[in-house]
Amino acid sequence: MMPGTSMKSDTNIKLPLAFILYALIALVAAQIILFVNNDLLAAGNFRIPDIWMGAHFLLLGYAVMIAMGAMYQLVPVAFLTPIWNQTFGFIQFLVTAIGITVFALLLGLKPDQAIYGGIMAIIGIIMFVIQMAKTILRQQKRNSMTLFVLGAITCFFLTIVAGFLLAWNFAFGGVGNHNTILHTHIVLGVAGWFTLLIFGFSYKLVPMFSLSHGYSMKWAKTAFFTYIAGLLGLIGSFWTGSALLSGIGWILLLAGFSFFFFDIREILAKRIKKKLDRPFSFSLLAIHIGLGVHIIAVGLYLFQVSNQLIWSWLIFLYVMGWIIFSILGYLYKIVPFLWWTYKYSERIGKEKVPTLKDMVNEKVAVILFVLFIISVAGLMLSGLLQLSIFLLIFQALLALTSLLYTISIIRVLLV
């Protein structure tokens, strides 16, 4: 099989690339905003406008837009069905990109007016949900991956509803249970939408990048339903105040993540490719970090640790170490695949073309990923110990590494 053919779809490459390029700019913007406001991070103040702005550029601008771009490319490949309407996709990109940019900026500058950017972002996201629902429901044969992707999209929609209520409260007030809605918004977005989506696509990407065959995926459905039950339990505890429900939620989330982990371990055990690519190994490291965070969360619950600083930095580790690291690693594999397929697959046998290996510099990738690990670990420790000077240094390193990573991805498109 030639490089890239396993990821080839009929999607116009400009569509996923538009999302990916916007997302890389948002990643750098997020890290610069957080660097400028590092004193607030040092104090453990995460719930203030400037931090919201950075967080939403990171999660909406970077992670959500990457997820959307990747889905435009991967859904047709995974579900063997073409994107419902590509022109609609380009319009959706413009609406969502403008909406997210305006929303994130207003969150930091004029939170009481953020709802206006939020409405536009929501329209773009609803357009995406319609696009994906219409595409996926065309699928002839449903599988475990269908469950994960539809579950993720449902959580995404509910995350946006909760976010809209929060923005409405800032603008006009009148919505009760603000903190409960905030916690629901965070869990649905971070643990629901992103985690279920990464689970689903990992079942496609891990065998592809490790050249694995003969694996069973026997835990996939169990992982899905257990994780969903955990989400419902945890969110239910926010609304009822039940400590027991909270504990059940955390334990089920850990169990669900563990089932996914068992499947990935089996897939890797049955691989043909013994030496894994560095960017892919980074995404596999992210799975271990995600599992570790779930174990720590259960431990904190059992020992009744309610310190807000500890929980805030644990959420930070989950976002960066599990979600962002997964995306950073996979993206370093997906973009070269996309570009190689678009530019060179038709020229094979007719002229000399670069190999996939020529499109990325693995040595640079290793340096970047090590810097990401050092930055996030340093930020965690500095934040927990409230060492503001070190927090400044590590946030600067994270911003610089994000910029260098963005440049290295864009360089692929120049090969």
Side-chain angles (χ1 to χ4, degrees):
M1 184 168 62
M2 297 312 297
T5 51
S6 58
M7 214 184 263
K8 189 164 186 176
S9 77
D10 294 326
T11 306
N12 181 341
I13 191 174
K14 290 174 184 170
L15 185 53
L17 281 180
F19 283 91
I20 289 167
L21 291 173
Y22 172 90
L24 290 169
I25 295 164
L27 171 67
V28 176
Q31 298 308 335
I32 290 170
I33 290 164
L34 294 172
F35 169 68
V36 170
N37 295 288
N38 71 89
D39 53 327
L40 302 174
L41 290 175
N45 291 330
F46 285 59
R47 291 191 193 178
I48 34 182
D50 292 329
I51 302 300
W52 294 337
M53 177 165 60
H56 282 79
F57 265 121
L58 182 67
L59 287 169
L60 277 179
Y62 175 66
V64 164
M65 292 295 268
I66 287 282
M68 287 179 176
M71 285 177 77
Y72 272 113
Q73 184 66 23
L74 295 175
V75 163
V77 175
F79 298 137
L80 304 175
T81 177
I83 288 295
W84 171 61
N85 188 320
Q86 294 197 50
T87 306
F88 187 78
F90 282 104
I91 298 166
Q92 183 255 315
F93 164 72
L94 279 173
V95 172
T96 313
I98 294 166
I100 287 173
T101 306
V102 173
F103 176 61
L105 288 171
L106 286 176
L107 263 181
L109 305 172
K110 291 198 168 182
D112 57 328
Q113 291 179 26
I115 187 147
Y116 301 112
I119 288 168
M120 193 168 181
I122 287 167
I123 291 168
I125 288 163
I126 290 171
M127 288 170 73
F128 174 77
V129 170
I130 292 167
Q131 176 87 278
M132 285 300 144
K134 281 190 167 285
T135 302
I136 292 165
L137 294 174
R138 282 176 169 183
Q139 189 188 13
Q140 299 297 315
K141 193 180 173 189
R142 308 283 159 84
N143 54 29
S144 301
M145 199 170 163
T146 317
L147 272 180
F148 283 106
V149 174
L150 287 176
I153 290 171
T154 304
C155 286
F156 188 29
F157 179 73
L158 294 172
T159 303
I160 298 310
V161 171
F164 178 76
L165 291 173
L166 294 170
W168 181 277
N169 237 5
F170 284 123
F172 311 113
V175 181
N177 302 306
H178 186 87
N179 277 345
T180 309
I181 295 170
L182 175 65
H183 293 144
T184 303
H185 175 68
I186 293 168
V187 168
L188 279 171
V190 173
W193 152 244
F194 284 121
T195 296
L196 290 174
L197 197 65
I198 295 169
F199 279 4
F201 281 113
S202 292
Y203 279 115
K204 177 74 181 174
L205 296 173
V206 171
M208 194 165 78
F209 293 145
S210 60
L211 303 179
S212 297
H213 298 281
Y215 51 90
S216 66
M217 285 174 58
K218 65 183 176 187
W219 294 108
K221 284 186 179 174
T222 311
F224 175 79
F225 287 112
T226 309
Y227 207 83
I228 289 287
L231 286 173
L232 292 172
L234 192 57
I235 291 166
S237 75
F238 299 153
W239 291 90
T240 61
S242 165
L244 177 62
L245 204 53
S246 174
I248 292 168
W250 284 118
I251 290 164
L252 286 172
L253 287 173
L254 171 58
F257 205 105
S258 300
F259 292 134
F260 162 72
F261 182 80
F262 297 153
D263 266 347
I264 296 298
R265 200 168 60 175
E266 188 207 343
I267 291 168
L268 291 171
K270 300 201 171 177
R271 72 184 190 268
I272 295 170
K273 192 173 186 177
K274 293 303 168 194
K275 190 171 186 294
L276 298 172
D277 299 331
R278 293 289 187 265
F280 176 50
S281 298
F282 189 63
S283 290
L284 296 176
L285 168 67
I287 295 172
H288 288 82
I289 294 172
L291 182 63
V293 170
H294 278 82
I295 292 168
I296 293 167
V298 170
L300 292 178
Y301 166 78
L302 292 174
F303 288 101
Q304 298 183 332
V305 177
S306 57
N307 186 308
Q308 198 61 50
L309 186 71
I310 292 172
W311 280 101
S312 294
W313 282 103
L314 190 66
I315 293 168
F316 167 85
L317 179 60
Y318 193 71
V319 169
M320 291 301 301
W322 158 238
I323 296 168
I324 304 299
F325 281 12
S326 292
I327 295 170
L328 291 169
Y330 282 141
L331 200 61
Y332 226 90
K333 294 287 291 178
I334 290 170
V335 172
F337 257 120
L338 275 179
W339 195 243
W340 188 95
T341 305
Y342 167 69
K343 203 169 177 186
Y344 299 111
S345 61
E346 305 298 326
R347 302 193 207 170
I348 287 285
K350 299 173 191 171
E351 58 184 278
K352 191 175 187 303
V353 300
T355 65
L356 211 49
K357 283 275 185 191
D358 297 331
M359 303 201 63
V360 287
N361 187 326
E362 282 243 335
K363 287 179 182 172
V364 169
V366 171
I367 294 166
L368 288 172
F369 292 136
V370 167
L371 289 175
F372 273 121
I373 293 165
I374 291 169
S375 306
V376 169
L379 272 169
M380 275 278 298
L381 286 170
S382 306
L384 287 169
L385 300 172
Q386 295 184 290
L387 303 170
S388 48
I389 184 65
F390 286 105
L391 203 130
L392 173 73
I393 292 165
F394 286 115
Q395 184 58 54
L397 181 61
L398 186 54
L400 178 63
T401 308
S402 299
L403 178 62
L404 294 173
Y405 175 90
T406 297
I407 292 167
S408 72
I409 292 282
I410 290 170
R411 282 190 65 185
V412 170
L413 306 179
L414 303 176
V415 175

